[in-house]
Amino acid sequence: MKNIDILEDIKRYSGLGKLSVFVGAGISRLSGFPSWRGLVQDMADEIGYLYKKDYNEDADFSPDELLKIPQMYYLNKGEDIYRKKVDNSFKNNCTPNEIHDLILSLHPNHMLTTNYDTLLEETAIKFGRNFSVLNSNKVVAGAETSNYILKVHGDFSDEFVLKEQDYLDYENKYLLIDNLVKTIFATNLVLFVGYALNDYNIKLILNWVKNVQSDSFVMPIFIHTGERLSDIELSYQEGRGLRVLDCNDYTSDTDYLVKYRSVLQTILTYNNDADLADRMHKLEYMYEKTVGLKNLDYIRREDFNSLFRGEYELNNQWKIINKTKTHETVFDENNQLRTVYNVRLDFFEDFWEREEEYKFIDEDRYITVKKFLDKAEVKGIESKDSFIWPDINIENPAFSSHHEYMREFCNVEYFTTKDNYKKAYYLAHLGNYKESYSLYTNILKETKEAGEWDIYYFSQINRHYLFSIIKQRIYQSTGIKGVSNFGKELKIFDDVFIEHLNYEMGNHQLKTQFSELPYAFKAQYTTLSHFSKRNCFIDKYYELTKEKYEVAKSLQKNTMYFGVSKFDKVKLTMLETTKFIYDNMILFAGFNENKLYIKTAMISWLEAYYKEVSKINREEFGIISNSRSKFTLTDIILISKNFKKDDINYLENKIDLRILPFDESYELEIYIMLQLETYKSTFGETLKGGEIFLWKSYSEEIKILLSIAPYFVISNECKLDAVQFIINIEDGYFDISNRIRIINKWIQTAKVERSSLIIEEWLLKKIIPVLKNQIPSKANDNAISDISMIAQFLLDIDKVDKFSKDAISELIIDNKDNLACVESCLKYIYPLVNDEAKQIINPMYSVDNVFQLMPLGYSGNLPKTCDEFQLVETYLEEQVKEKQDNKERGIEKYSIPSTEDHIGKVAAYMYMRNFPSSITEKYRGICKEYDFLLCPSEFKVDTFELKWLLNYSDNLYEKFKMCKIQKQIIIEFVEKAFKENSLSQWQLKRLFNIYQMMIKS
C-alpha cells in the first residue's frame, strides 16, 4: 500500500488519542458555504477594485490582496456594513456533510479550523463528543473539557479574523488561542483537511510550526485534492514542513467530496484492519513521553499523570490504571448478562508482562522507560489488592546531612552533566557558593547544546535560588546584622565575584524560565512550570489550606475511610513533593516557603494521627484506624530540618508524643550518632566563608532533632551520648538554660540512666575555673549563673537518679579557703554535698527569704541554722501589713504572678511541711487559696479556682486524699469542669489524672 508510513503514523497517533484535525474552508464549501476567495471577490466588485483573472475568468488574487481588499472594504464602507456583508455571506441553512462525519470518525483529540460556521460543533453533538469551543482569549480559561474545537479565526458570536488589520493584531488579540495552536502542533499529529497547498492560511500556520518545531515534533500531514503532485513537488512540500496524502493515489474522480472521502476512508480502513500498535511503536511512544525527564531522580505521581493524561494514571497504591478501559454489558451464550472490558491502549500492561522482548527491540529506549517507572516508584498494574502505604525514602545525602559523602563527591572532577549538576548542588549545601554558581553556569551551556532541558531548566532555577542565598548571606554577615549575628562584620565573598554575580543575575527573571524552554518540552512536562514561581509551593499550600479544613471536619465527625484518609493524603502529597525537591536536587529546601509548607502539613497530619492512635488505645469504633501511614524516621528528619523551638513546644502541648507508635528506634539511634559525629568532625575551632552558615543551620537542626528524639530512643548509650553532646557542643547561642531544658527532656522522657554522673562532671567543669580564678572578671557573673542553674538541675536529677556526692564535696573541702568567689551560688551547691562540706559552707550560707527556703525545705536540705517558721511568718506578716496599707489608701495592686499566687505557693509549702495550727490559724483569710489549703473547714467552695488544681503536684494530691473536705471539694469541682467546653486538651488530661487520684482508695 502506498503512503504506508504516513498511514501508520496516523493510525498510531489516533490510537494514542493524539490525532488532531485542522479543517479548512473546502469542507464547509461542500455544505454550500462561500469560499474565502468568493467573498473577497464580491467585496472587490462592490468597491470597484480591479483584479487579475485566470484563464477561467475567475479572480486571481495574490496573498496580499486577500487581506488588503477586505481592509479596503472595511475602510470604505464602515464597520457596520462590513460586518453585515460577512454575516449575510454565511447566513444560510447549510448542514454538515459526509466529510464532517468521516472527520469525527477519526476520533480526533482536537479540531482546529479557520472557518466561522458551526458545522463541526453540530457533527460533534451527533457523534456524542463534548468539545469545548474556543473562539476567543476570554473563553480559554473556562474550557470545560480537555478536547477543543479551536476557532483559530474566531466566529460570528464574537470577533473574527478576515481583513489585513485583523492579521496584524492577531498575536495580541488571540494570544491564548495562538499558544494553544502551537501547543497542539507540539504534542499532536495534525491532519490538514479542506485546504489548498497554496492557501494563505497554510503558509501562516506552517510559519507558526517552524517557530516552535524541533526534532521531537511530528510533521503535519496534508490531504491534497488538486492535480497529482510530482516527486519533486512532494519533496518541496516536505521541506516546507508538510507530508502529503495525494487523493490521486486513491481515486481518479474529480468531485471534491469523493476525493476527500477516498482518502479519509482509506485512513479509517487502515486503522481498523491493522493492530493498534506493535511493540516497537509502543516502546517508541513510551520513550518519547519519558525521555525529557531522564536526568531527574524522582518522578511524582502528578508528573506521571500529567504526561499520560487521559491514557494512564498512577493511583494511591502507585499502580498504573488504564484510563482507556471501557466496559459494556452483553448476553453470553447462556443468555446471562456479563461485563466485557475493552482497552484502547495496553502499552504499560504489555511492557510489564514482556520486558525482555522490549529490551531486545531497543535496549537504550527500554532502559529509559524502565528507569522512568523505577523513579516514579511504580508498583505494578492496577489490581484489587488492599492499599499498602508506599515507602517514600529520600535518597539525597543532603537530606540526611551526610556531609562527608558530599565532600568526597565534590573532590572528584566529572565529565557528565548529571554528575556536575549533582556536584554543584552539594557544593551549595556545603557553603561553597562561588564554586557552585560557576559550575551551574557551565552546565547551562552544555545542556542547551545537548538538548537536556530538564537539567538546563533546574540549573537555571538553582542559579536563581543560589543568588538569593548569597544575597541573604551577605545581609546576615554585614552591617548591624553581621555584628548582631557574629560579633563583627564578615566578608564572605570577594568584590569581583559579587560584581560579576550582580551583573549576570541582577535582572534574572525566575518567572520566565519555563516559558523560555522549547515548546515540545513545555507542552510535555507542564507540571514543572510551578518551579519558575518565586514560591513554587504556593499552589500546594493553597491546596493544603483547603485540605486542613477538610481534615478538621472529618476528625470532628469521626469519619471512617475505606482507603486513604484525608489526613494521610496531606502527608503523602507532602512527602512526594519533598522527595521531588531533594532527590532532583533543587535548592528550595532551605527557604522559609518550603519549611512552612512541610511544617503545616506535618502538624496537620500529626494531630489527626494522634487522635487515631488515642482512639485505638481507648478501643473506640472496634479499634479500626483511618490511618495507613506511620510516624517514621523520615518524619523526624523533616521535623528537625523545618521546625523551630516554638513549633516543638506547640506539638508537645497539642499531642502526647510518648504514645505515638514508632518502629524505627534503632534507625533513629544510628541517625543521631551519625549526626553527632558529623558535627564534631565537620566543624573545628575555625570556620571559613560559607562554613559559618552551614554550621549555624546545622547546629539549629541538631538542637531540634535532640528535642524530638527523646520520645523515641531506646538505647541508653545513645541517650547518654546525646546528653553529653548537648553539654559539650560549642555554640555561643546555645545558653545553659536551653541546654538544661533539652537534657531534662531526655532525663524525664527518655529515662536516661546514669545521667547524674555526666551532669556532675559538667558542674565540676564549670566550678573549677571559677575557684582557680581562671575566668575573666567580666565573665564571672555568667559563670556563677551557669553554676547555679546546673546545680539546681543536678538536685532535681538526684531525685530519680541518685549520685555520689563525694566529688563535689571533695572540691569544696579542698578549696575551703577560696569559696568567697562562688559564695552567691553556694545555696544551690549546698544540697549536693556531704555533711563535712556542709559544715564548711554553713558559716557562709544563709537563707534570706521564703522563696530561697522552699526548694531547700522540699528537698530536705535546710541548713541547721535556718528557722523556717520565722521566715514564713515574716513573709506572711509583710503581706498582711501591705494588704491593710493598700486598703486604707484605696490602692488595688496587680502583678503577674499575683500576690495571692505567691501566698498560695507558701501555703502549699506550709501544708506539705506540716506547719502547726498555732501558725496557720493566725493568717486565716489572707487569701482564698490559703484557706483552702490550711483552713478547709472555713473555705467557701464557690471561690475555688481551676488554676490551683493545675499547679499542684502529685505529692500534694496524695496528701489531699487524707482530708475528707479537700478531697470532696476537688472531686466536685473536676466533675463540674468536665461539663464545660472551654478546656484545652492538656487541661482535660490533667484533670482526668487528678480525678483518678482522688477517687482511688
Side-chain angles (χ1 to χ4, degrees):
M1 183 183 288
K2 197 167 183 181
N3 301 314
I4 185 74
D5 291 340
I6 294 177
L7 292 171
E8 184 65 32
D9 255 6
I10 295 173
K11 174 206 73 174
R12 180 156 64 100
Y13 279 89
S14 178
L16 298 174
K18 296 295 183 183
L19 177 67
S20 292
V21 182
F22 211 131
V23 182
I27 305 304
S28 294
R29 202 157 58 245
L30 293 174
S31 291
F33 279 113
S35 68
W36 183 17
R37 287 178 179 271
L39 174 60
V40 173
Q41 184 173 349
D42 284 348
M43 289 182 175
D45 291 339
E46 210 170 313
I47 61 174
Y49 181 88
L50 298 177
Y51 50 83
K52 294 180 181 178
K53 295 183 180 181
D54 60 17
Y55 61 89
N56 289 323
E57 293 298 310
D58 293 326
D60 185 14
F61 296 122
S62 70
D64 287 343
E65 285 179 309
L66 288 171
L67 305 183
K68 176 182 172 183
I69 292 168
Q71 185 70 38
M72 293 172 68
Y73 187 91
Y74 173 86
L75 295 173
N76 187 268
K77 299 288 187 178
E79 182 176 358
D80 291 343
I81 295 176
Y82 165 77
R83 186 167 186 108
K84 189 174 181 181
K85 173 71 176 177
V86 178
D87 286 348
N88 289 338
S89 298
F90 289 89
K91 191 174 289 182
N92 58 35
N93 295 319
C94 297
T95 58
N97 59 65
E98 181 186 349
I99 305 305
H100 287 105
D101 291 344
L102 288 170
I103 289 170
L104 264 296
S105 297
L106 291 172
H107 199 81
N109 185 23
H110 306 292
M111 292 188 288
L112 305 86
T113 183
T114 50
N115 300 339
Y116 309 124
D117 57 66
T118 60
L119 298 180
L120 288 174
E121 292 96 306
E122 293 170 33
T123 311
I125 292 171
K126 185 169 66 172
F127 273 72
R129 296 289 305 278
N130 183 19
F131 287 87
S132 292
V133 179
L134 307 181
N135 60 359
S136 67
N137 278 346
K138 58 191 176 188
V139 300
V140 171
E144 296 177 351
T145 68
S146 58
N147 303 104
Y148 311 138
I149 292 178
L150 207 60
K151 298 294 193 75
V152 177
H153 285 172
D155 61 22
F156 299 135
S157 67
D158 204 299
E159 295 187 56
F160 55 86
V161 177
L162 179 62
K163 61 186 188 301
E164 186 177 51
Q165 193 61 45
D166 297 334
Y167 281 89
L168 294 174
D169 296 339
Y170 188 83
E171 287 202 355
N172 292 326
K173 286 189 174 184
Y174 290 81
L175 178 62
L176 298 180
I177 298 288
D178 184 42
N179 285 335
L180 274 176
V181 171
K182 292 172 183 175
T183 300
I184 290 169
F185 270 93
T187 56
N188 287 244
L189 173 61
V190 178
L191 178 66
F192 285 100
V193 183
Y195 290 101
L197 282 171
N198 63 351
D199 192 301
Y200 186 68
N201 286 309
I202 290 291
K203 293 179 180 178
L204 286 174
I205 291 163
L206 287 178
N207 190 48
W208 285 345
V209 175
K210 287 178 181 177
N211 287 336
V212 299
Q213 201 164 20
S214 69
D215 292 340
S216 63
F217 278 68
V218 179
M219 192 182 294
I221 295 168
F222 185 93
I223 296 179
H224 170 63
T225 55
E227 295 295 322
R228 179 181 292 277
L229 298 176
S230 66
D231 290 342
I232 295 175
E233 179 68 23
L234 288 171
S235 298
Y236 166 74
Q237 295 299 339
E238 192 165 334
R240 290 177 71 200
L242 281 178
R243 291 179 290 172
V244 177
L245 273 177
D246 194 334
C247 71
N248 296 290
D249 293 328
Y250 307 103
T251 183
S252 57
D253 203 301
T254 57
D255 185 277
Y256 280 100
L257 189 145
V258 175
K259 291 183 177 185
Y260 283 120
R261 179 200 297 147
S262 64
V263 178
L264 291 172
Q265 284 184 340
T266 300
I267 293 171
L268 287 167
T269 302
Y270 188 86
N271 278 356
N272 292 331
D273 290 347
D275 292 329
L276 175 63
D278 60 24
R279 289 200 175 96
M280 186 178 294
H281 287 142
K282 291 177 182 178
L283 182 58
E284 180 67 22
Y285 165 74
M286 291 184 285
Y287 172 79
E288 290 296 338
K289 283 276 194 181
T290 59
V291 67
L293 301 182
K294 68 179 180 181
N295 292 302
L296 299 188
D297 287 328
Y298 179 64
I299 306 297
R300 298 165 297 178
R301 282 179 302 161
E302 66 178 282
D303 303 314
F304 183 100
N305 295 342
S306 175
L307 270 178
F308 297 99
R309 181 179 288 116
E311 299 163 359
Y312 288 99
E313 183 179 284
L314 204 54
N315 68 7
N316 288 333
Q317 300 180 50
W318 267 254
K319 291 188 175 181
I320 297 174
I321 298 174
N322 192 323
K323 302 299 285 185
T324 70
K325 182 184 288 187
T326 59
H327 67 274
E328 58 182 330
T329 304
V330 299
F331 287 98
D332 62 15
E333 63 275 7
N334 298 319
N335 211 31
Q336 298 291 317
L337 281 175
R338 66 185 182 91
T339 302
V340 177
Y341 290 94
N342 300 296
V343 292
R344 184 163 54 83
L345 303 178
D346 67 343
F347 291 0
F348 283 116
E349 295 90 334
D350 198 53
F351 184 88
W352 206 263
E353 289 182 12
R354 299 176 174 83
E355 282 194 38
E356 287 302 317
E357 294 180 33
Y358 281 94
K359 187 175 181 180
F360 179 77
I361 292 169
D362 189 323
E363 187 169 359
D364 289 341
R365 279 169 162 68
Y366 161 80
I367 290 171
T368 298
V369 175
K370 177 65 175 170
K371 283 185 175 180
F372 174 86
L373 295 175
D374 291 342
K375 291 171 186 177
E377 302 190 349
V378 174
K379 307 299 182 190
I381 306 300
E382 177 199 26
S383 69
K384 298 185 182 299
D385 296 340
S386 59
F387 178 78
I388 300 173
W389 187 265
D391 294 324
I392 300 183
N393 298 310
I394 299 171
E395 308 296 337
N396 190 335
F399 181 71
S400 55
S401 301
H402 204 327
H403 295 148
E404 188 59 34
Y405 173 86
M406 291 191 285
R407 280 196 179 85
E408 289 176 3
F409 188 92
C410 292
N411 287 333
V412 178
E413 185 178 353
Y414 298 98
F415 301 98
T416 67
T417 52
K418 182 68 180 292
D419 285 334
N420 278 320
Y421 176 79
K422 189 181 295 186
K423 181 176 179 178
Y425 176 84
Y426 290 161
L427 286 168
H429 265 276
L430 295 170
N432 298 327
Y433 304 123
K434 183 177 178 180
E435 191 178 347
S436 173
Y437 177 81
S438 176
L439 193 51
Y440 275 129
T441 303
N442 292 338
I443 289 170
L444 292 179
K445 183 174 182 293
E446 296 171 14
T447 51
K448 188 172 184 179
E449 290 174 353
E452 294 180 316
W453 297 111
D454 48 0
I455 292 189
Y456 174 87
Y457 176 53
F458 284 119
S459 294
Q460 284 282 33
I461 299 299
N462 280 347
R463 277 211 321 163
H464 189 92
Y465 287 148
L466 192 55
F467 180 51
S468 296
I469 292 169
I470 291 170
K471 287 194 297 182
Q472 192 178 58
R473 299 297 184 248
I474 294 171
Y475 170 72
Q476 292 170 338
S477 60
T478 58
I480 297 174
K481 200 74 175 173
V483 175
S484 171
N485 285 334
F486 305 106
K488 62 178 182 178
E489 288 194 75
L490 302 177
K491 190 175 180 65
I492 308 296
F493 308 102
D494 62 77
D495 294 337
V496 174
F497 172 65
I498 296 302
E499 184 180 354
H500 176 71
L501 189 68
N502 285 326
Y503 177 75
E504 287 188 354
M505 300 297 295
N507 293 316
H508 190 264
Q509 297 291 316
L510 182 65
K511 63 184 179 183
T512 64
Q513 295 311 308
F514 189 77
S515 63
E516 291 176 356
L517 293 170
Y519 266 93
F521 188 88
K522 287 189 298 185
Q524 191 91 304
Y525 309 112
T526 54
T527 55
L528 303 183
S529 62
H530 55 265
F531 289 102
S532 61
K533 296 177 181 177
R534 176 61 187 90
N535 180 0
C536 62
F537 284 172
I538 190 68
D539 296 331
K540 297 279 184 194
Y541 194 79
Y542 175 68
E543 290 170 17
L544 175 59
T545 303
K546 292 191 294 184
E547 287 293 335
K548 274 187 66 183
Y549 171 73
E550 293 299 325
V551 167
K553 263 201 324 187
S554 66
L555 290 176
Q556 198 172 25
K557 295 178 179 178
N558 279 318
T559 307
M560 293 297 296
Y561 292 96
F562 299 95
V564 186
S565 63
K566 288 185 182 297
F567 53 88
D568 275 348
K569 283 180 183 176
V570 166
K571 182 182 179 183
L572 195 56
T573 302
M574 180 272 290
L575 287 175
E576 278 191 275
T577 304
T578 303
K579 183 173 174 66
F580 190 92
I581 289 288
Y582 273 102
D583 284 7
N584 293 316
M585 301 188 177
I586 302 166
L587 290 174
F588 187 64
F591 285 86
N592 288 334
E593 293 88 345
N594 177 66
K595 292 176 182 286
L596 178 62
Y597 169 70
I598 292 173
K599 180 167 57 180
T600 306
M602 183 63 73
I603 288 175
S604 179
W605 177 78
L606 274 171
E607 288 178 353
Y609 181 60
Y610 171 68
K611 184 167 183 179
E612 289 298 307
V613 171
S614 301
K615 184 176 72 176
I616 294 172
N617 290 346
R618 295 194 301 270
E619 297 190 357
E620 294 180 8
F621 298 101
I623 64 171
I624 296 173
S625 174
N626 280 318
S627 182
R628 302 292 181 269
S629 177
K630 293 182 178 180
F631 189 62
T632 66
L633 174 58
T634 297
D635 298 331
I636 289 179
I637 297 174
L638 285 171
I639 288 172
S640 71
K641 289 183 174 296
N642 298 287
F643 280 46
K644 293 183 179 178
K645 174 185 168 184
D646 290 344
D647 303 317
I648 298 296
N649 292 340
Y650 173 84
L651 264 188
E652 291 171 331
N653 287 330
K654 292 289 286 185
I655 66 178
D656 185 354
L657 292 165
R658 291 171 298 181
I659 74 167
L660 295 187
F662 188 73
D663 301 328
E664 299 180 3
S665 293
Y666 177 71
E667 291 80 2
L668 172 60
E669 290 159 7
I670 292 175
Y671 178 76
I672 290 172
M673 300 304 288
L674 173 65
Q675 299 314 303
L676 303 188
E677 286 302 316
T678 297
Y679 185 93
K680 287 183 277 190
S681 64
T682 300
F683 305 111
E685 295 182 2
T686 305
L687 300 176
K688 300 177 183 177
E691 286 182 345
I692 297 170
F693 300 101
L694 176 62
W695 163 78
K696 196 169 177 63
S697 62
Y698 192 41
S699 176
E700 291 303 313
E701 183 181 321
I702 285 188
K703 290 175 201 172
I704 298 299
L705 172 64
L706 296 178
S707 295
I708 193 76
Y711 296 97
F712 310 105
V713 169
I714 295 174
S715 163
N716 197 64
E717 182 183 354
C718 180
K719 297 172 187 177
L720 290 171
D721 285 342
V723 170
Q724 192 70 66
F725 178 85
I726 295 165
I727 290 171
N728 294 337
I729 183 174
E730 296 288 341
D731 185 350
Y733 300 95
F734 196 20
D735 59 32
I736 294 296
S737 63
N738 275 313
R739 293 177 195 242
I740 289 174
R741 174 182 59 81
I742 298 177
I743 293 172
N744 188 50
K745 191 182 292 186
W746 280 88
I747 291 169
Q748 299 299 326
T749 303
K751 308 299 181 187
V752 185
E753 299 172 7
R754 305 186 305 279
S755 61
S756 58
L757 296 174
I758 298 175
I759 307 304
E760 181 187 32
E761 185 183 323
W762 187 21
L763 180 60
L764 291 170
K765 188 178 176 182
K766 288 288 184 180
I767 295 175
I768 291 170
V770 177
L771 290 174
K772 295 187 176 182
N773 294 317
Q774 296 173 343
I775 300 291
S777 57
K778 63 180 181 180
N780 199 64
D781 289 344
N782 287 337
I784 296 297
S785 175
D786 291 350
I787 292 168
S788 302
M789 284 189 281
I790 298 170
Q792 284 180 290
F793 182 46
L794 186 55
L795 179 60
D796 291 336
I797 294 172
D798 187 48
K799 298 171 186 175
V800 293
D801 188 13
K802 295 292 182 183
F803 72 101
S804 167
K805 300 179 178 181
D806 293 343
I808 299 175
S809 299
E810 287 174 13
L811 183 67
I812 295 299
I813 295 166
D814 292 344
N815 292 274
K816 61 185 177 181
D817 297 327
N818 197 30
L819 294 179
C821 56
V822 293
E823 183 175 348
S824 60
C825 64
L826 286 176
K827 58 189 173 188
Y828 303 109
I829 299 173
Y830 186 85
L832 304 173
V833 298
N834 59 25
D835 289 340
E836 183 182 355
K838 283 179 179 176
Q839 291 298 321
I840 295 170
I841 294 175
N842 274 334
M844 305 175 64
Y845 176 35
S846 62
V847 180
D848 300 323
N849 60 59
V850 71
F851 296 105
Q852 292 178 7
L853 167 76
M854 288 191 289
L856 297 171
Y858 278 129
S859 63
N861 285 295
L862 284 176
K864 291 180 179 179
T865 56
C866 177
D867 185 344
E868 66 175 327
F869 291 169
Q870 183 183 354
L871 284 169
V872 169
E873 285 198 83
T874 299
Y875 171 75
L876 293 175
E877 289 291 347
E878 290 172 355
Q879 300 310 311
V880 170
K881 186 176 184 306
E882 185 178 346
K883 278 176 172 282
Q884 289 173 345
D885 291 346
N886 289 340
K887 186 175 182 181
E888 289 173 5
R889 297 173 187 174
I891 298 173
E892 291 187 19
K893 186 177 178 182
Y894 297 97
S895 63
I896 300 176
S898 68
T899 302
E900 283 74 11
D901 291 337
H902 287 306
I903 294 173
K905 288 182 180 179
V906 174
Y909 177 81
M910 295 167 70
Y911 184 70
M912 290 297 292
R913 296 284 290 173
N914 298 314
F915 270 50
S917 59
S918 59
I919 296 177
T920 59
E921 288 291 328
K922 198 186 297 185
Y923 302 101
R924 180 192 299 168
I926 190 171
C927 80
K928 292 177 290 185
E929 189 175 6
Y930 182 97
D931 290 348
F932 167 71
L933 289 163
L934 299 169
C935 311
S937 60
E938 306 294 328
F939 177 69
K940 295 178 181 179
V941 177
D942 60 348
T943 64
F944 194 86
E945 295 186 24
L946 172 66
K947 66 178 180 179
W948 304 346
L949 286 182
L950 299 174
N951 290 329
Y952 292 154
S953 68
D954 288 353
N955 289 335
L956 197 53
Y957 283 111
E958 290 299 323
K959 194 162 185 181
F960 285 148
K961 287 164 63 175
M962 307 302 171
C963 175
K964 186 176 180 181
I965 296 173
Q966 290 170 322
K967 179 179 177 180
Q968 190 60 34
I969 290 172
I970 292 171
I971 289 174
E972 288 178 1
F973 186 85
V974 172
E975 288 175 345
K976 181 182 175 183
F978 280 150
K979 296 175 183 177
E980 299 177 2
N981 295 321
S982 58
L983 299 175
S984 69
Q985 191 174 18
W986 175 83
Q987 289 172 328
L988 284 169
K989 184 178 178 182
R990 179 59 180 158
L991 289 179
F992 180 73
N993 291 336
I994 293 167
Y995 189 76
Q996 284 187 314
M997 282 190 280
M998 289 296 99
I999 63 175
K1000 206 171 185 181
S1001 59

